[in-house]
């Protein structure tokens, strides 16, 4: 191998010449990126094409995929692009803020081969065991109870007072988690997502989840952890705890942002506000618009090539993260159409072997939450201090910091 070839393979993204330096990498963790990611995606596409050198955290490099067709090619090739991060994480400092979120865990989304199959069968069965009809009743009841706490005030923060507590309680119901354990889970999950004292949050979350698994081993119920424990795959307590952790992480962060981002769209975009409230378009149409344009997890579905490989004339080195930008791929001009109504060809749920197994459940919770709120408070208006929403910085999520609203006060509903 020539010196140039050797040098090329050492770099996570090589766009021929010159080799990108750390200064060339686009920081996905910056507030500037969070404020207007679509501008960054357009500039990335113009400068780099389908594969972009990025930084997930200070000093943590990766390749961002912003082409729909390239993403589909990678996601449908798990043999060459496995999701197992174990080799990569050996080179990452232990205090890296995103390591607790990305490090290997014994669960399907971090595994390949026979391990993946075993874990995937168990988590899919546990999700499928949730009674959707009963879950709709649970979410409707939670929604009304929460709306009753602020409907007479004429104003509310829909994240703090509505979406987060609704989603958190809904997930706890699916997991059969008692309040004393769920409080610890909330604290640990928040620390992980925000990357603030992530290691302590990781430890607190692990302890809380093991407490829940131990409880369900002794007193099984009709819930996700009990189904995992009883599945023929034979998961041990540690494996079950990590799968429960994934349900918390994706079930809360993804679901919360999906509800809130969709409410922002409905209330601020005249195409949806009048149509949804007037019955021409459904909340499902608004949800799919968000899943196209601002998916709650904008950049994720991370894989780690087994060996150096050329994709779209770019060298991807072995065992370095390749991150799919669902947001950028969904808006790829090569595949994007003008009318998205009824179009669900987005990548927000993933595709292939690692596609989300909880799509129906996520749609149900989001639709119930949105429909109940708009039924009770149809004249809701956004009340942002400067009129512009503020987005939380972070390489993976698309999340508002707050969603303050005003509305004509109304009397509480009967539960």
């Amino acid at each position: 191998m020539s010196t140039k070839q050797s040098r090329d393979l050492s770099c996570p993204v090589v766009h021929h010449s010159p080799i990108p330096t750390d200064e060339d990498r686009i920081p996905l963790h910056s507030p500037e990126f969070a404020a207007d990611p679509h501008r960054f995606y357009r500039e990335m596409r113009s400068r780099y094409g389908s594969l972009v050198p990025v930084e997930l955290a200070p000093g943590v490099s990766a390749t961002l995929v912003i082409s729909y067709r390239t993403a589909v090619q990678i996601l449908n090739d798990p043999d060459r692009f496995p999701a197992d991060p174990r080799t990569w994480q050996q080179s990452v400092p232990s205090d890296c803020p995103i390591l607790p979120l990305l490090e290997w865990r014994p669960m399907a989304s971090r595994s390949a081969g026979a391990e993946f199959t075993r874990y995937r069968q168990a988590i899919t069965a546990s999700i499928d065991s949730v009674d959707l009809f009963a879950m709709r009743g649970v979410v409707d009841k939670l929604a009304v109870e929460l709306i009753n706490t602020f409907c007479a005030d004429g104003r509310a923060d829909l994240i703090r007072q509505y979406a987060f507590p609704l989603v958190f309680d809904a997930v706890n119901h699916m997991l059969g988690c008692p309040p004393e354990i769920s409080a610890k889970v909330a604290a640990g999950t928040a620390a992980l997502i925000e990357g603030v004292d992530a290691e302590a949050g990781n430890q607190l979350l692990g302890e809380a989840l093991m407490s829940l698994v131990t409880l369900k081993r002794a007193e099984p119920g009709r819930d996700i952890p009990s189904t995992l424990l009883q599945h023929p795959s034979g998961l041990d307590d540690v494996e079950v705890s990590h799968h429960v952790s994934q349900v918390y992480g994706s079930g809360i962060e993804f679901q919360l942002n999906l509800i809130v981002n969709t409410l922002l769209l409905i209330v601020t975009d005249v195409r949806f506000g009048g149509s949804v409230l007037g019955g021409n378009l459904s909340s499902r149409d608004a949800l799919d618009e968000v899943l196209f344009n601002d998916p709650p997890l904008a950049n994720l579905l991370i894989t780690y090539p087994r060996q150096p490989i050329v994709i779209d004339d770019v060298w991807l080195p072995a065992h370095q993260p390749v991150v799919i930008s669902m947001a950028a791929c969904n808006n790829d001009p090569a595949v994007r159409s003008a009318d998205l109504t009824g179009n669900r060809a987005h990548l927000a749920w993933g595709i292939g072997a690692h596609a989300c197994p909880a799509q129906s459940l996520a749609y149900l919770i989001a639709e119930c939450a949105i429909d109940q709120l708009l039924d009770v408070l149809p004249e809701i208006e956004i009340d942002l201090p400067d009129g512009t929403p503020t987005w939380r910085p972070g390489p993976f999520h698309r999340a508002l910091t707050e969603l303050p609203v005003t509305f004509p006060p109304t009397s509480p509903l009967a539960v």
Side-chain angles (χ1 to χ4, degrees):
M1 180 180 293
S2 69
T3 301
K4 181 179 184 300
Q5 287 174 320
S6 175
R7 181 178 60 184
D8 285 354
L9 295 181
S10 68
C11 181
V13 181
V14 178
H15 292 263
H16 304 299
S17 181
I19 297 173
T21 65
D22 289 342
E23 288 73 24
D24 294 317
R25 296 190 174 278
I26 298 172
L28 301 187
H29 52 86
S30 69
E32 292 78 14
F33 176 79
D36 191 3
H38 291 287
R39 174 177 65 83
F40 278 83
Y41 297 142
R42 289 191 297 271
E43 293 173 356
M44 290 176 186
R45 207 178 304 279
S46 174
R47 180 178 179 186
Y48 293 106
S50 60
L51 298 166
V52 184
V54 298
E55 190 179 62
L56 302 178
V60 181
S61 60
T63 303
L64 189 70
V65 182
I66 61 173
S67 161
Y68 185 96
R69 292 191 177 97
T70 305
V72 170
Q73 177 184 353
I74 290 172
L75 293 174
N76 282 323
D77 192 0
D79 289 337
R80 292 195 297 173
F81 291 91
D84 189 329
R86 278 176 282 194
T87 301
W88 165 76
Q89 71 187 51
Q90 293 174 10
S91 64
V92 179
S94 59
D95 61 350
C96 173
I98 63 171
L99 181 59
L101 192 63
L102 299 186
E103 67 183 348
W104 181 81
R105 299 171 187 268
M107 57 190 190
S109 62
R110 300 287 191 278
S111 301
E115 272 187 338
F116 165 78
T117 301
R118 175 169 169 260
Y119 293 145
R120 176 72 181 199
Q121 289 174 346
I123 189 62
T124 300
S126 70
I127 296 295
D128 289 346
S129 71
V130 176
D131 184 332
L132 295 182
F133 181 81
M135 197 66 209
R136 179 179 294 275
V138 169
V139 177
D140 284 345
K141 182 174 182 292
L142 289 171
V144 171
E145 290 175 342
L146 288 167
I147 293 169
N148 282 348
T149 65
F150 58 75
C151 64
D153 300 336
R155 62 177 57 251
D157 174 8
L158 293 183
I159 295 180
R160 180 176 55 85
Q161 294 177 259
Y162 185 62
F164 177 79
L166 185 150
V167 169
F168 187 67
D169 287 346
V171 171
N172 280 325
H173 175 83
M174 291 186 288
L175 294 172
C177 185
E180 61 273 16
I181 296 178
S182 68
K184 296 178 181 179
V185 170
T189 300
L192 272 179
I193 292 172
E194 298 296 340
V196 178
D197 203 7
E199 186 54 42
N202 197 28
Q203 182 176 349
L204 178 62
L205 178 60
E207 292 171 354
L209 295 176
M210 280 304 297
S211 297
L212 177 59
V213 173
T214 300
L215 173 65
K216 294 302 173 181
R217 179 75 75 178
E219 303 174 16
R222 298 183 62 182
D223 48 54
I224 288 176
S226 297
T227 304
L228 287 167
L229 287 166
Q230 297 162 9
H231 193 268
S233 294
L235 273 61
D236 62 30
D237 287 6
V238 172
E239 292 171 325
V240 171
S241 72
H242 282 288
H243 282 83
V244 171
S245 171
Q246 185 179 35
V247 174
Y248 265 117
S250 58
I252 293 175
E253 178 71 4
F254 181 96
Q255 193 77 62
L256 165 67
N257 296 336
L258 178 59
I259 292 170
V260 172
N261 294 2
T262 304
L263 284 170
L264 176 67
L265 173 68
I266 290 172
V267 177
T268 59
D269 192 319
V270 294
R271 295 177 305 120
F272 281 90
S275 296
V276 172
L277 296 177
N280 296 328
L281 292 172
S282 67
S283 55
R284 173 68 71 96
D285 294 314
L287 286 165
D288 282 320
E289 172 94 355
V290 166
L291 289 167
F292 261 104
N293 290 335
D294 277 315
L297 292 177
N299 306 297
L300 205 61
L301 303 176
I302 304 176
T303 62
Y304 306 82
R306 292 187 187 277
Q307 59 191 31
I309 186 171
V310 176
I311 298 288
D312 296 349
D313 297 325
V314 175
W315 271 109
L316 299 177
H319 309 298
Q320 293 300 308
V322 176
V323 183
I324 304 296
S325 175
M326 291 84 86
C329 290
N330 292 344
N331 290 278
D332 183 351
V335 299
R336 176 81 179 201
S337 62
D339 184 9
L340 298 178
T341 304
N343 188 339
R344 299 190 175 108
H346 52 72
L347 297 180
W349 303 115
I351 59 170
H354 287 275
C356 175
Q359 297 178 37
S360 296
L361 189 56
Y363 269 127
L364 182 148
I365 294 173
E367 285 183 90
C368 287
I370 292 167
D371 290 344
Q372 284 285 0
L373 182 71
L374 296 180
D375 282 348
V376 179
L377 304 173
E379 299 178 62
I380 200 166
E381 294 183 357
I382 300 296
D383 187 33
L384 293 164
D386 59 358
T388 303
T390 303
W391 301 89
R392 288 188 356 233
F396 308 120
H397 57 237
R398 182 64 168 157
L400 288 163
T401 58
E402 61 177 351
L403 189 60
V405 296
T406 59
F407 47 83
T410 186
S411 301
L413 302 176
V415 179

